[in-house]
Amino acid sequence: MELPDLLLLHFFRRRHEANWNEVREAYPYDDRRLREKLAFLETNLHILEHSGTGRGTTYRLSRRAAAILSEGVAYDMMRRLDKEAIKVRILSLLEDRPLSNKDIRSFTDLGRKQVTGLLKELETDGQVYSSGHGAGALWHLRVKD
């Protein structure tokens, strides 16, 4: 299981059920990649199930996954990801599109200042740069030649 899978599990562990737009906000990959990830978690790992179609689709943890998580077996989904894992996650998401501080907060459960600190570290390391200021600022992956 990869980090994006665990982040989705964490999201569903907290929410139990969500519609397409809610999942999309919490998982800022492009729509195609998100659909593939949801399908993989449903058909291959049997962690999610869905009902409805199109915009009315609702996703939820499968009974099996909910039972495992409620027993606390194998992992603790409520624990925050460590700092380096979050940095890796931010960099992987920036490969797809620029992100705001708010976007990053939605999938890390970190506060605004914590996210700003991580982004400043990545900026100092020459991995990201920002455009804009304040709430409208977007962070971009610095492409190395």
Side-chain angles (χ1 to χ4, degrees):
M1 191 173 273
E2 298 175 350
L3 186 60
D5 302 327
L6 294 173
L7 290 168
L8 271 176
L9 274 178
H10 180 69
F11 171 78
F12 281 104
R13 172 73 170 96
R14 288 182 300 149
R15 296 285 307 267
H16 301 290
E17 183 175 284
N19 66 34
W20 168 253
N21 287 328
E22 292 166 333
V23 175
R24 197 167 157 231
E25 284 181 29
Y27 191 80
Y29 276 131
D30 62 65
D31 288 358
R32 180 193 55 79
R33 224 165 137 186
L34 177 56
R35 287 185 201 288
E36 289 172 359
K37 187 58 65 182
L38 291 170
F40 176 79
L41 291 173
E42 183 173 6
T43 57
N44 294 28
L45 300 180
H46 308 288
I47 291 172
L48 293 180
E49 54 189 39
H50 79 276
S51 60
T53 58
R55 291 187 176 161
T57 303
T58 300
Y59 298 89
R60 72 187 64 74
L61 285 174
S62 68
R63 287 179 190 243
R64 176 179 162 254
I68 290 169
L69 291 173
S70 68
E71 292 174 16
V73 176
Y75 45 82
D76 177 14
M77 292 304 297
M78 297 310 286
R79 216 170 85 210
R80 291 189 180 192
L81 299 170
D82 70 13
K83 185 176 174 179
E84 292 307 311
I86 292 171
K87 285 182 181 181
V88 168
R89 176 71 170 141
I90 291 168
L91 293 172
S92 72
L93 290 172
L94 287 173
E95 289 176 0
D96 290 333
R97 68 179 177 96
L99 298 171
S100 68
N101 185 299
K102 182 179 178 182
D103 294 332
I104 296 168
R105 288 193 322 261
S106 73
F107 65 81
T108 62
D109 289 334
L110 296 175
R112 184 180 52 80
K113 289 183 179 182
Q114 291 171 306
V115 169
T116 299
L118 286 175
L119 290 168
K120 291 295 183 186
E121 287 179 29
L122 289 169
E123 185 176 40
T124 300
D125 293 342
Q127 295 178 298
V128 301
Y129 67 95
S130 68
S131 64
H133 298 284
L138 291 177
W139 289 88
H140 306 264
L141 186 65
R142 186 173 301 282
V143 179
K144 308 246 178 174
D145 296 326

